Amino acid sequence: MVRAPPGPDRPGQVRVYTTNPGKVREIRALLEPRGIRVAWSRRRLVEIQGDSLEEVARSKLNSVSPRPGELSLVEDSGLFIHSLGGFPGVYSAYAYRTLGLAGVLRLVRGRDRSATFRCVVGVRQGPEVLLARGAVTGSLARTARGTLGFGFDPIFIPRGCSESFAEMPADVKNRYSHRGRAFRALLRALPAAFP
Ligand code: IMP
């Protein structure tokens, strides 16, 4: 793989704060081919129960202490099921822990199964903060399928695809996913935000 060297419009290193190794795998596949090194702090940041992914991402960013020459990066994602008024949305981690995949599938039995995954990624350098968003719409599978990925991947099929996210390797999932879209938007906005 050809790696572009860091340039004036690209940071050399970002530090990702998450406890989720699946997210780190996907973030590396998105940033490293662009010549951006990804350092990982597996530290659990204090997470508020906010009303929006943006609010949660901003509060996580405020709780990190950026190191000189490094961008701090956090992201917050959620699964918004249309027929449930957007639930679990910002409560996705809680729904995953308490209901599990089978519990979420039970909630949509007999209902419209369309859903949107949303991601907000935020970076901070000193006091400056930049947020970018990405979303993908699809439908919930009837049963869990696939063993790759994490979280709700086995039950989410992006529109236009026949495979669930858990049946796609990280680089293929990134082409369609909320995270892939949010990171591509972030990379487009970075040069103007941190010139
Ligand atoms: P958080 O962004 O780590 O708070 O994620 C909220 C919940 O959504 C967690 O249970 C994650 O596992 C799940 N989730 C976030 N992103 C994805 C994804 O790309 N695929 C599947 N589940 C996800």
Side-chain angles (χ1 to χ4, degrees):
M1 188 186 305
V2 180
R3 286 171 200 274
D9 60 342
R10 245 177 288 106
Q13 175 155 305
V14 301
R15 179 165 298 274
V16 177
Y17 293 85
T18 178
T19 55
N20 183 335
K23 282 191 183 181
V24 176
R25 202 167 30 248
E26 291 174 20
I27 293 170
R28 289 209 158 113
L30 286 160
L31 298 185
E32 290 187 349
R34 310 282 193 113
I36 302 172
R37 282 188 308 278
V38 176
W40 178 19
S41 283
R42 202 176 187 153
R43 175 155 80 78
R44 186 176 295 281
L45 299 176
V46 178
E47 192 168 321
I48 57 156
Q49 184 57 67
D51 284 343
S52 68
L53 298 176
E54 282 82 356
E55 205 185 319
V56 177
R58 272 190 199 282
S59 91
K60 283 195 217 168
L61 273 182
N62 283 336
S63 73
V64 303
S65 315
R67 304 179 187 194
E70 222 179 50
L71 279 182
S72 306
L73 184 148
V74 304
E75 71 102 86
D76 209 57
S77 306
L79 179 67
F80 295 73
I81 301 174
H82 303 175
S83 59
L84 301 180
F87 182 82
V90 290
Y91 304 102
S92 291
Y94 180 75
Y96 181 73
R97 273 198 315 274
T98 55
L99 301 172
L101 300 181
V104 170
L105 289 183
R106 265 196 303 278
L107 290 180
V108 291
R109 202 176 285 159
R111 296 175 186 263
D112 175 73
R113 309 180 76 81
S114 60
T116 300
F117 252 129
R118 298 188 183 282
C119 171
V120 172
V121 54
V123 289
R124 175 170 158 206
Q125 193 171 51
E128 304 297 327
V129 164
L130 171 68
L131 296 186
R133 294 158 191 82
V136 56
T137 293
S139 63
L140 297 182
R142 305 236 155 238
T143 54
R145 287 164 35 181
T147 55
L148 305 171
F150 63 93
F152 296 110
D153 280 346
I155 61 169
F156 186 82
I157 302 172
R159 184 182 285 158
C161 295
S162 52
E163 296 176 316
S164 77
F165 272 162
E167 293 175 303
M168 301 177 184
D171 58 327
V172 178
K173 176 182 167 188
N174 278 338
R175 272 186 231 151
Y176 303 102
S177 78
H178 49 313
R179 187 163 298 105
R181 289 179 176 162
F183 275 73
R184 285 190 287 277
L186 179 80
L187 289 169
R188 283 194 298 274
L190 261 181
F194 300 126

